[in-house]
Amino acid sequence: MKKLQKKLYFLILFGLFLNIYSIHSQTNNEISTYNWFDKNLGIESLDLKNGPAHLNFDKTAHNQNRYYIDDFKNGSVTYNGQDYFDLYLKYDIYADELVLKPYSESNTTKINIVKDYVSSFKIGNQKFINLKELNSTNFKKGYYEEVNLTNNTTLYIKYYKERNNAMKENISYIEYLPKYDYILLKEKDFHLINEKKEIIKLYPDDKRKINDFYFKNRNLKKEDPSLFIKSLMKYINNLNL
């Protein structure tokens, strides 16, 4: 019996005991049932386990690291068409890998979830999409944060880090420099908007509005570039900041 068939079989049986009336809608009861199944049968029973071990031997300075957030956070993954909830996840933005921490304390091996089978994942309240359809050489493929703006406009943010080798007091170490790419899906076309002129080109009627935002929020642009772009795009589209 295939893994998915086994999972559905156990869900049906367990649902009878919990008096769950629908296995199609993602209610709190259903999510709890998925969590019970995954935790009690173990990560080893899931397709997620098939990824390679996550290894990190970086020697860094100044509390730098290769991750979006250095700690594992609660999240969920849609993998090979199947939803998995209540997972411990961390996003390696240098290698563009989603890292899974097993439930078991006795198993300390972290896993890189196979990217080809991941369509999306959530860490906290942030949703990331695997943008496989980006065929242009102007765009990096892989995981992007998805920020929905309007019915026909979506902002995608690519977080990544560049690695530099450095020396300090005759000791070599690694520096990671955060970088960002911003892509706007507007009326079914993808547009790179890393520069102000590229944004103005898409919103020519809002040129003054855009210039004013850049002027008033230049500190935010320096301190938190991704939040700056999110706020700018919401401002242009008349959404609440």
Side-chain angles (χ1 to χ4, degrees), residues 11 75 77 84 116 121 131 163 187 191 202:
L11 284 173
V77 178
Y84 297 93
D116 287 345
F121 66 90
L131 284 183
R163 171 175 168 157
E187 298 175 354
H191 306 272
L202 292 173

Side-chain angles (χ1 to χ4, degrees), residues 83 98 152 168:
D83 294 327
L98 180 61
N152 62 355
K168 184 177 182 180

